[in-house]
Amino acid sequence: MFRRKYDLLALVWAMTMTVEFARCQLIRPLSVYEGLIKDMHDYFNNTCIILLHTNTNPIETQGLAEGDGLLHLQRHFSLKFNIRVVFMDFHMFNTRKKRFDCLQVGQSYHHIKRPLFVLLNSHEDTRNEFANQVSTWIAMAYPTWLVFFEDGLELADFFLDIYIPFDCKFMVAQSSANVSGREIITEVYQVDREKELRSNQFGVWDMGKGLKGPETRSLYFRRNDLYGQNIRVASIHDPPVSLFHHNLRNEITRISGFFGEVILLLQEGMNCTFTYKEAKTWGTCLSNGTCTGAIGMLMNNEVDFAASEFMMTSDRLGVISFTTPIYTTKCRTYIKKPASSNVKWNAYTAPFSANTWNVIAFFIVIMSGSIVLVQKLFALATPCPDDDRLPTRFTEILFYVIGAFCSQGMEQSSLDPVRIVHFVIHITAVIILAAYSASLISFLASKKFVMPFTTMDGLLKDGTYRFGVVGDSADYSFFQNTSDKILNVLFDELLMKETNLPINYMDGLERVCKEDKYAFMTLDNMAAILRDKVDCDLEPLDAITQITIAMALRPNSPYRGIINTNLLLLRDSGILQRLLETQWSVHLTVRKSSWKSVEIGDIVPLLLLMIAALFASCAANIVEHVVYKSFLKQKQLRINKR
């Protein structure tokens, strides 16, 4: 009997403690939880809700009241609004984080889009569980957070030793002291670890009107001030788009060039300070997991931000973060144009096509035949002794007509039909000569360079060129990791043989000019700005691929959002485009003199023709002289025999 009474008292005590504990877990009426959580879910467009509490097993070990409240919330969101909802205690959340089908945390939980985490109360055990088991391993900025505060609890007391990143959406709901059923929503964050906790009123929620949020929905329009936070910036000496300036102690004081101008505008817009470090290279990641250059500095937390042109490649996305794209461009290979063009053997026949030359020759023959025919007809009809001095043979007239086409005169005839033919010949010759002269001048003046090859396949098949890219950069990794067969062979046969690759684009283009048959891959933008700074003419091959250029940040950097917001503001206001134009387009408009002199190679065919004509005339003169001497000798012999 005594045993039964003892068991009954123990059961009543346990049920009383369960009800008391349940009341402590749900510190607001269910209607407040239902309305506020639903409105926050809609405002941030979350995809699922995770209700976190400290009860290990609220139904079996803590009684029905606690479990009934949580189950009611789950049913409310799931059945009424079709929202995925999970409630679990912190211990289960921590131990099952890798198997939880709604939230796969660790390195791969980001496949869940915009989850909403809700802390049902702010008790000390809730606060400790959150601080020790959740905030230490989870990426705080990825989910949206909502915690319900007890009356009188200070923000600094709850968030003591808890780091809320600058880009974290962490909301605190506090009951209004004046109006029942009203919640004051405050968002909290820190600029950096060990910095003071900052808070802004996010909005007000009440039972009747729901949530009234901030006037601007943009997080970084509300958090647009870093309060002088120091951001460590790395850059590469890559003139002229990024150049370092040092003080007397050889410390880097600022960066000039395009990226220097951009980060100065970012510094002004974000109210922060920059300290600079120099990276020798852009950097690549090795097979052992380590990275070099600026990428290695970002991974090792030596710097926060890398202000230089970084290609957005898939292998880099796994180790660093990128800003919003700055610009897009193409990468291609450049070679040096030879100093002089080849001899144009067809220079004096190319102005007219073969059909045109045939028509001109046919016209000369027809006109010559016409003159002979007219003279023969008039000679039969009315012999004219005055025209005995005029040529009558076809060959003689043919030479006269050819001379007319070379701007030579013709013997004037007294026959009107012949004069008409002469007039037609001279008019035609003037027109043809004018057209020929204009075409010949343009042909000789235009320097047409015939590329030895135009593709990377042609470069590989040529076999006489060396090939280089910027060492320890994405350019090198592109060829190293490519799936293109031609580029893969080019990497193995040419690029792997280069033991001393250029350190930047300027160095590479200078090698193209200094070394014989050296090909170098660069960005079109960089080639445009640097081609006037090298002492040779550069010829591009076909584009290899189109790439996107951005700046780089530490993985999961809290400043990525505010940097991107300011970059988008610079882009939308036209300032970024103006910087691009002043840094690149100006150099494109600076052109060398358009005057093109005719080189000796262009007149070699004419000189050879003149020399050949001179030798031919001399040979003809000698033959004629020999024949004439022989004729005189034979004539003298005949006279002597008589």
Side-chain angles (χ1 to χ4, degrees), residues 176-410:
S176 173
N178 301 324
V179 181
S180 176
R182 173 175 292 184
E183 298 286 330
I184 308 299
I185 314 299
T186 305
E187 58 179 349
V188 297
Y189 65 93
Q190 293 171 262
V191 174
D192 199 2
R193 291 185 183 273
E194 310 303 329
K195 294 297 180 70
E196 65 176 296
L197 184 72
R198 298 188 177 275
S199 61
N200 298 319
Q201 181 170 324
F202 178 80
V204 177
W205 179 90
D206 60 36
M207 294 290 293
K209 299 180 180 179
L211 176 65
K212 182 180 180 182
E215 294 181 359
T216 173
R217 298 181 68 90
S218 173
L219 177 66
Y220 298 104
F221 281 180
R222 304 193 301 271
R223 303 181 193 177
N224 56 4
D225 194 338
L226 291 179
Y227 301 97
Q229 170 70 14
N230 176 52
I231 296 179
R232 301 163 298 171
V233 178
S235 189
I236 296 94
H237 182 69
D238 185 27
V241 295
S242 58
L243 298 93
F244 294 109
H245 296 266
H246 300 78
N247 57 18
L248 297 177
R249 295 190 298 273
N250 202 32
E251 297 172 338
I252 302 175
T253 56
R254 67 183 182 91
I255 303 174
S256 61
F258 171 75
F259 289 99
E261 295 292 334
V262 170
I263 62 175
L264 285 178
L265 292 172
L266 291 178
Q267 178 175 286
E268 181 180 354
M270 298 187 302
N271 186 26
C272 62
T273 58
F274 288 146
T275 55
Y276 304 99
K277 289 186 178 182
E278 180 178 1
K280 299 300 182 183
T281 61
W282 284 265
T284 56
C285 291
L286 308 177
S287 57
N288 59 6
T290 61
C291 296
T292 60
I295 295 179
M297 297 173 70
L298 290 169
M299 284 192 62
N300 299 329
N301 198 22
E302 298 177 27
V303 294
D304 304 301
F305 185 34
S308 187
E309 67 273 22
F310 280 83
M311 294 185 189
M312 299 181 72
T313 58
S314 57
D315 56 324
R316 285 178 168 179
L317 288 173
V319 294
I320 60 174
S321 298
F322 289 101
T323 65
T324 188
I326 304 296
Y327 61 87
T328 58
T329 185
K330 294 179 180 179
C331 61
R332 70 180 79 228
T333 299
Y334 286 79
I335 61 175
K336 177 173 62 176
K337 180 180 178 180
S340 60
S341 302
N342 296 326
V343 176
K344 300 177 181 179
W345 294 105
N346 64 335
Y348 296 92
T349 58
F352 286 161
S353 65
N355 291 333
T356 305
W357 286 117
N358 293 334
V359 170
I360 292 174
F362 181 74
F363 179 82
I364 292 174
V365 172
I366 291 298
M367 290 297 103
S368 301
S370 299
I371 294 175
V372 172
L373 180 62
V374 170
Q375 289 180 347
K376 292 293 185 182
L377 292 176
F378 273 83
L380 293 174
T382 55
C384 184
D386 294 337
D387 285 347
D388 291 342
R389 57 186 175 83
L390 296 178
T392 57
R393 291 187 300 173
F394 176 78
T395 54
E396 291 181 295
I397 295 175
L398 181 65
F399 275 106
Y400 273 104
V401 174
I402 294 174
F405 274 83
C406 296
S407 299
Q408 299 296 316
M410 298 179 67

Side-chain angles (χ1 to χ4, degrees), residues 420-460:
I420 294 174
V421 174
H422 285 181
F423 176 76
V424 172
I425 291 172
H426 281 286
I427 290 296
T428 305
V430 169
I431 295 174
I432 292 176
L433 185 61
Y436 177 80
S437 300
S439 181
L440 178 64
I441 291 172
S442 62
F443 184 82
L444 293 177
S446 61
K447 304 297 181 180
K448 186 177 181 180
F449 170 61
V450 179
M451 293 281 288
F453 44 82
T454 59
T455 63
M456 300 301 289
D457 186 28
L459 171 65
L460 183 62

Side-chain angles (χ1 to χ4, degrees), residues 40 109 166 214 245 299 383 396 431 528 570 640:
M40 293 295 291
Y109 81 98
F166 179 78
H245 296 266
M299 284 192 62
E396 291 181 295
I431 295 174
L570 293 176
N640 292 337

